[in-house]
Amino acid sequence: ARDRETARRAWAVVAEMLGDPSLGLIVLDELTYALKNGWLDLPLVLADLAARPALQHVVITGRGAPDELCAAADTVSELRDVKHAFRAGVRAQKGVDL
């Protein structure tokens, strides 16, 4: 319930940003997890995205995006980890990995 409320409050901020035509790019990092876990209402998210200004770009990251979100997107990419420093013993670095 706490995660759902936190996601709801965060989406209220995002919805305001989506309504601001002065913002040309909005990055919603890891949004797909909030959708997959049911913390956000997918129809509301899709409606808010569809209502944004015409030239506003939105980048959404995260694995397992819902099919409806992919269908609404102009571009969908899937990234695959080929090599990662973590497997060589390099710990996560502030400003790079977190």
Side-chain angles (χ1 to χ4, degrees):
R2 184 183 74 201
D3 293 335
R4 192 177 332 274
E5 177 57 25
T6 300
R8 188 197 62 75
R9 285 194 323 267
W11 189 257
V13 173
V14 171
E16 284 187 35
M17 295 170 70
L18 292 171
D20 184 346
S22 73
L23 298 176
L25 174 65
I26 298 171
V27 178
L28 303 175
D29 193 31
E30 309 294 4
L31 175 68
T32 61
Y33 298 107
L35 295 169
K36 276 185 1 184
N37 290 318
W39 300 336
L40 289 175
D41 179 59
L42 180 58
L44 172 65
V45 169
L46 293 173
D48 288 346
L49 289 169
R52 75 186 190 279
L55 297 178
Q56 186 182 74
H57 301 281
V58 178
V59 175
I60 297 172
T61 70
R63 298 178 194 271
D67 291 339
E68 299 89 343
L69 182 61
C70 290
D74 293 324
T75 303
V76 177
S77 299
E78 185 174 300
L79 301 177
R80 183 177 61 89
D81 179 23
V82 175
K83 180 179 179 183
H84 197 286
F86 182 77
R87 288 193 293 283
V90 178
R91 299 180 65 99
Q93 302 169 61
K94 186 175 182 179
V96 176
D97 300 298
L98 52 104

